């Protein structure tokens, strides 16, 4: 068991001291006045999270978005230019044409054009998203959430000294949003030199509670529950719901003299082993010297072929390898099981032979309990947690979803979508059908058919689909959507569990035979350019939820196949009763 140091002093920040990019009170007004005369750049939500953590020292020893020297060495060696271990690029991507043609300074603004910082432009350099993804994430598979996102970033990175005027302002959970300095002050008051940090982006259940309490006991110190509330994996439980759970548990079931709940506005990269090291560095800057590390830490799930992006213990192995250099001791997340007869949790390796063991997987929580409106058992989760989750996640048949048809022009997407709409109307659902002309007229007016314009059109449809699905509606979209990366971006907008990619698998020869408009013939003659399947590629889904054969099956048979799938997944009740009528929107573009 670890012992306290004599003076109870917290571990020093990574690199020796916390970076502070906030302007002083003396220079604040001068910087504000100067910012009014400078060109501005609106930064993304991800860059906004990074800016905040740079400013407060959470990314120490970084004091800016990375220079090219730092960036290149991080990619290839996981080290900054000066040799300090640092595994994740922290960069500011911008469009080249957004940079000013005059001046050497810019202001950085949020989505509402609030000026947050003034930046000296010292370096502008090009980067390659495929290379960065391969080196940092270990994959270029567009199903990885960051890979598909990176394709839409600006083509250059910008670096230089930053003076931060204001941090992003939050209205929610303000009492739980603490900077590294504030967290360190509170931990100092607790009086323990040893602090174990717990990283989470999911709701906490009894097994997490048991694990964190045991970890604090094991290190004989304080516990920092430090959930990510910036950007996590698309489809994760929203942070409002999660923080309500964390707060209820911290207030009622933890020793307040030894436990601190604080929120971390981090934009995760889902980079697995590299991210585990990064998370450790961040927690050291907040005052922790121990870090709980679980299986598949910061993993984004499975790739396009159904295989995990990272091995279950890769993150633990890498963190152990660099523990001494980091000054952080990993506390491995042990697999605990519930012993029903003894009403307690135990390390699975120490469970008595023949003991009655209860367990519930994350999939079972979603599919067997929340999706069916069943209350989670008290041995698994606290009553407060169960109530919050039930309140925010209604039964599956009352949740929204998106049927996303994709396939070649003439494959039968629109016909099947129309029949599916009728079948859903028959089940008591209200359906609005928007055809491609309406989409192009209202959502995508002025867009052409270049790759960029097609992607923009699909992303606009995806945004609308996501908003409707998030609020309990059902969306049917029938769009060629030829590119996997763009479809994966839409999946992120809707949420993985509610996005049902439906591949209308019709051979191009059949599509050409059905082409009453003669579009394929004109494309073959060169009268139409950039036509999907002729001189522009179609990238078929690798793991669609539904695949439709339109050669052997009629459109009605395929539509009824989808209805059966929705019943199987719980989005429709088989007898048609009990559904909550929601407006469903079908978007067609064929």
């Amino acid at each position: 068991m670890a012992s306290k140091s004599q003076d109870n002093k917290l571990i020093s920040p990574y690199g020796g001291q916390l970076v502070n990019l906030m302007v002083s009170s003396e220079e604040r007004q001068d910087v504000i006045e100067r910012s009014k005369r400078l060109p501005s750049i609106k930064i993304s939500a991800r860059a906004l999270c990074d800016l905040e953590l740079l400013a407060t020292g959470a990314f120490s020893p970084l004091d800016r978005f990375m220079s090219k020297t730092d960036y290149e060495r991080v990619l290839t060696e996981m080290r900054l230019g000066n040799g300090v271990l640092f595994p994740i690029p922290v960069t500011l991507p911008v469009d080249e044409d957004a940079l000013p043609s005059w001046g050497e300074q810019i202001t950085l603004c949020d989505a509402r054009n609030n000026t947050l910082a003034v930046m000296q432009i010292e370096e502008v350099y090009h980067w390659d998203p495929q290379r960065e993804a391969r080196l940092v994430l270990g994959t270029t598979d567009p199903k990885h959430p960051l890979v598909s996102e990176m394709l839409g970033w600006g083509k250059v990175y910008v670096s230089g000294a930053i003076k931060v005027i204001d941090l992003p302002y939050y209205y929610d959970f303000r009492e739980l949003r603490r900077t590294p300095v504030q967290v360190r002050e509170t931990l100092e008051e607790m009086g323990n030199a040893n602090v174990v940090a717990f990283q989470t982006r999911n709701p906490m259940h009894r097994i997490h509670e048991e694990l964190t309490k045991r970890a604090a006991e094991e290190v004989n110190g304080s516990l920092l529950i430090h959930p990510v509330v910036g950007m996590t994996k698309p489809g994760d439980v929203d942070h409002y719901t999660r923080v309500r759970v964390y707060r209820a548990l911290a207030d009622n079931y933890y020793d307040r003299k030894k436990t601190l709940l604080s929120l971390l506005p981090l934009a995760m990269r889902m980079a697995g082993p590299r991210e585990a090291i990064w998370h450790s560095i961040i927690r050291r800057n907040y005052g922790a010297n121990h870090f709980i590390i679980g299986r598949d830490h910061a993993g984004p799930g499975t790739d396009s072929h159904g295989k995990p992006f990272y091995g279950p213990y890769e993150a633990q192995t890498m963190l152990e390898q660099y523990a001494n250099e980091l000054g952080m001791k990993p506390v491995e997340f042990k697999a605990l099981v519930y012993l029903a007869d003894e009403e307690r949790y135990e390390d699975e390796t120490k469970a008595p032979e023949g003991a009655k063991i209860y367990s519930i997987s994350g999939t079972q929580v979603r599919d067997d309990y929340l999706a069916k409106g069943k209350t989670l058992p008290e041995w698994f989760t606290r009553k407060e947690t169960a109530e919050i989750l039930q309140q925010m996640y209604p039964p599956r048949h009352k949740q929204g979803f998106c049927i996303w048809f994709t396939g070649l022009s003439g494959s039968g997407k629109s016909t099947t979508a129309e029949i599916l709409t009728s079948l859903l109307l028959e089940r008591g659902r209200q359906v609005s059908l928007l055809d491609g002309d309406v989409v192009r007229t209202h959502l995508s007016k002025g867009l052409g058919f270049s790759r960029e314009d097609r992607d923009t059109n699909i992303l606009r449809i995806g945004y609308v689909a996501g908003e409707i699905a998030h609020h309990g509606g059902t969306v049917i979209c029938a769009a060629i959507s030829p590119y996997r990366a763009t479809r994966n971006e839409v999946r992120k907008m809707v949420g993985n569990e509610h996005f049902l990619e439906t591949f209308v698998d019709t051979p191009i020869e059949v599509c050409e035979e059905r082409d009453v408009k003669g579009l394929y013939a004109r494309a073959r003659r060169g009268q139409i350019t950039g036509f999907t399947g002729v001189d522009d590629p179609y990238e078929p889904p690798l793991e669609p939820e539904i695949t439709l054969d339109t050669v052997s099956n009629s459109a009605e048979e395929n539509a009824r196949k989808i209805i059966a799938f929705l019943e199987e997944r719980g989005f429709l009740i088989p007898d048609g009763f009990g559904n909550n009528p929601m407006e469903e929107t079908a978007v067609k573009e064929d």
Side-chain angles (χ1 to χ4, degrees):
M1 182 178 289
S3 60
K4 297 182 185 179
S5 65
Q6 292 300 311
D7 57 1
N8 292 338
K9 186 175 177 61
L10 295 178
I11 190 171
S12 63
Y14 191 60
Q17 60 183 13
L18 286 176
V19 169
N20 179 11
L21 301 184
M22 302 299 299
V23 297
S24 65
S25 55
E26 293 78 18
E27 64 177 332
R28 177 180 170 81
Q29 196 55 45
D30 176 62
V31 174
I32 290 174
E33 290 302 318
R34 181 155 35 99
S35 72
K36 295 176 181 178
R37 302 187 296 272
L38 296 174
S40 65
I41 288 181
K42 191 181 293 187
I43 63 176
S44 68
R46 180 175 296 281
L48 191 64
C49 291
D50 289 349
L51 177 65
E52 178 172 2
L53 294 182
L54 280 170
T56 60
F59 288 165
S60 298
L62 277 191
D63 64 355
R64 66 192 60 204
F65 291 103
M66 285 183 180
S67 66
K68 186 174 183 180
T69 298
D70 283 340
Y71 171 74
E72 287 294 337
R73 197 165 179 194
V74 165
L75 257 56
T76 57
E77 301 178 57
M78 296 202 310
R79 294 187 181 277
L80 299 175
N82 61 6
V84 172
L85 181 68
F86 205 95
I88 298 292
V90 177
T91 53
L92 180 60
V94 300
D95 290 320
E96 216 165 351
D97 56 9
L99 291 172
S101 56
W102 55 273
E104 297 178 348
Q105 290 186 325
I106 54 173
T107 61
L108 305 181
C109 302
D110 63 14
R112 297 182 179 276
N113 289 314
N114 296 309
T115 298
L116 301 175
V118 171
M119 179 178 180
Q120 188 80 25
I121 301 178
E122 297 175 15
E123 274 191 89
V124 178
Y125 57 98
H126 287 87
W127 65 289
D128 180 350
Q130 292 288 302
R131 177 171 177 262
E132 180 174 326
R134 186 178 69 256
L135 293 173
V136 176
L137 307 175
T139 181
T140 57
D141 187 335
K143 194 174 178 186
H144 190 293
L146 193 63
V147 170
S148 54
E149 180 188 320
M150 286 165 64
L151 295 176
W153 291 359
K155 303 306 179 189
V156 296
Y157 285 153
V158 182
S159 178
I162 303 172
K163 290 183 179 291
V164 179
I165 300 169
D166 290 307
L167 295 176
Y169 190 84
Y170 302 100
Y171 295 94
D172 61 308
F173 307 114
R174 287 170 60 183
E175 76 282 5
L176 300 178
R177 295 181 179 272
R178 299 179 178 90
T179 66
V181 168
Q182 292 168 333
V183 167
R184 282 176 163 273
E185 287 174 349
T186 304
L187 292 174
E188 290 279 7
E189 291 171 4
M190 289 182 178
N192 295 306
N194 290 322
V195 177
V196 59
F198 179 58
Q199 149 94 21
T200 180
R201 59 174 224 271
N202 294 306
M204 289 176 64
H205 299 295
R206 293 286 292 274
I207 195 168
H208 304 102
E209 181 185 331
E210 186 72 18
L211 171 79
T212 51
K213 288 178 177 177
R214 290 188 184 194
E217 253 182 63
E218 184 179 319
V219 307
N220 190 25
S222 302
L223 171 66
L224 172 62
I225 301 175
H226 210 205
V228 173
V229 295
M231 298 176 69
T232 61
K233 180 185 173 185
D236 279 351
V237 175
D238 67 274
H239 82 266
Y240 300 100
T241 300
R242 290 188 288 113
V243 176
R244 289 172 61 201
V245 168
Y246 307 143
R247 189 167 58 183
L249 295 179
D251 287 349
N252 294 293
Y253 300 104
Y254 283 87
D255 182 350
R256 296 192 188 190
K257 295 179 181 178
K258 297 174 61 177
T259 306
L260 176 62
L261 169 63
S262 187
L263 309 186
L264 179 67
L266 177 70
M268 291 184 65
R269 272 60 169 178
M270 307 308 298
R274 278 193 180 223
E275 186 135 352
I277 295 176
W278 193 41
H279 289 172
S280 297
I281 290 171
I282 293 167
R283 274 29 184 254
R284 175 170 170 174
N285 286 324
Y286 278 88
N289 61 344
H290 294 75
F291 185 54
I292 297 174
I293 179 78
R295 294 177 75 255
D296 194 26
H297 185 94
T302 57
D303 63 19
S304 295
H305 301 282
K307 297 180 180 179
F309 279 101
Y310 311 111
Y313 301 106
E314 282 185 38
Q316 293 180 352
T317 301
M318 185 173 279
L319 187 56
E320 186 70 44
Q321 178 183 349
Y322 291 101
N324 290 337
E325 188 172 357
L326 290 169
M328 295 287 287
K329 295 179 181 178
V331 178
E332 293 188 2
F333 191 121
K334 298 179 176 65
L336 303 181
V337 294
Y338 185 75
L339 304 180
D341 292 334
E342 300 180 39
E343 298 185 347
R344 67 182 180 87
Y345 279 94
E346 182 56 272
D347 185 328
E348 66 176 1
T349 63
K350 299 178 181 178
E353 189 174 346
K356 185 189 293 185
I357 292 174
Y358 288 172
S359 66
I360 298 177
S361 68
T363 300
Q364 288 175 308
V365 169
R366 294 188 302 269
D367 295 346
D368 296 344
Y369 287 88
L370 296 178
K372 296 178 180 178
K374 291 172 58 178
T375 301
L376 288 162
E378 287 198 34
W379 66 263
F380 175 75
T381 200
R382 295 291 186 182
K383 179 171 174 282
E384 293 89 340
T385 302
E387 289 175 351
I388 291 170
L389 292 179
Q390 277 192 305
Q391 177 188 1
M392 298 307 296
Y393 291 89
R396 182 68 59 77
H397 68 273
K398 293 184 179 180
Q399 295 177 16
F401 61 90
C402 171
I403 300 286
W404 187 277
F405 289 98
T406 178
L408 293 169
S409 177
S411 60
K413 299 183 298 299
S414 295
T415 304
T416 310
E418 288 172 357
I419 297 171
L420 178 61
T421 299
S422 293
L423 295 179
L424 289 169
L425 279 167
E426 181 186 19
R427 302 293 284 266
R429 303 239 180 190
Q430 297 302 308
V431 182
S432 297
L433 180 62
L434 302 178
D435 63 22
D437 289 338
V438 175
V439 172
R440 286 278 177 178
T441 299
H442 297 288
L443 286 179
S444 302
K445 185 177 182 180
L447 291 181
F449 291 90
S450 65
R451 176 165 187 151
E452 183 178 0
D453 281 0
R454 287 180 184 181
D455 282 349
T456 299
N457 184 48
I458 294 304
L459 293 174
R460 288 179 183 179
I461 295 172
Y463 172 78
V464 175
E467 289 300 298
I468 294 170
H470 295 160
H471 291 88
T474 301
V475 192
I476 302 172
C477 303
I480 294 172
S481 46
Y483 311 124
R484 288 191 197 112
T486 313
R487 294 197 301 267
N488 283 328
E489 280 299 297
V490 173
R491 181 183 289 273
K492 287 158 58 177
M493 292 176 180
V494 175
N496 188 56
E497 302 238 335
H498 300 87
F499 182 82
L500 309 175
E501 189 174 33
T502 304
F503 178 32
V504 186
D505 188 9
T506 307
I508 190 168
E509 299 81 13
V510 176
C511 294
E512 292 196 55
E513 289 175 8
R514 296 174 178 175
D515 182 20
V516 295
K517 298 179 182 179
L519 297 176
Y520 280 97
R522 291 168 62 192
R524 297 288 183 195
R525 292 193 299 266
Q527 294 173 317
I528 300 175
T529 58
F531 193 83
T532 301
V534 178
D535 59 343
D536 198 67
Y538 176 77
E539 300 170 357
L542 298 177
E543 273 200 314
E545 280 73 15
I546 305 169
T547 299
L548 302 179
D549 178 351
T550 69
V551 176
S552 302
N553 301 322
S554 68
E556 181 178 346
E557 288 172 330
N558 281 327
R560 292 191 181 279
K561 177 181 178 180
I562 296 171
I563 291 291
F565 180 88
L566 293 173
E567 291 177 349
E568 180 185 335
R569 282 289 183 96
F571 286 111
L572 287 178
I573 293 180
D575 62 6
F577 295 102
N579 289 312
N580 184 25
M582 295 283 183
E583 180 173 353
E584 301 179 5
T585 305
V587 182
K588 298 193 323 173
E589 186 189 271
D590 236 348

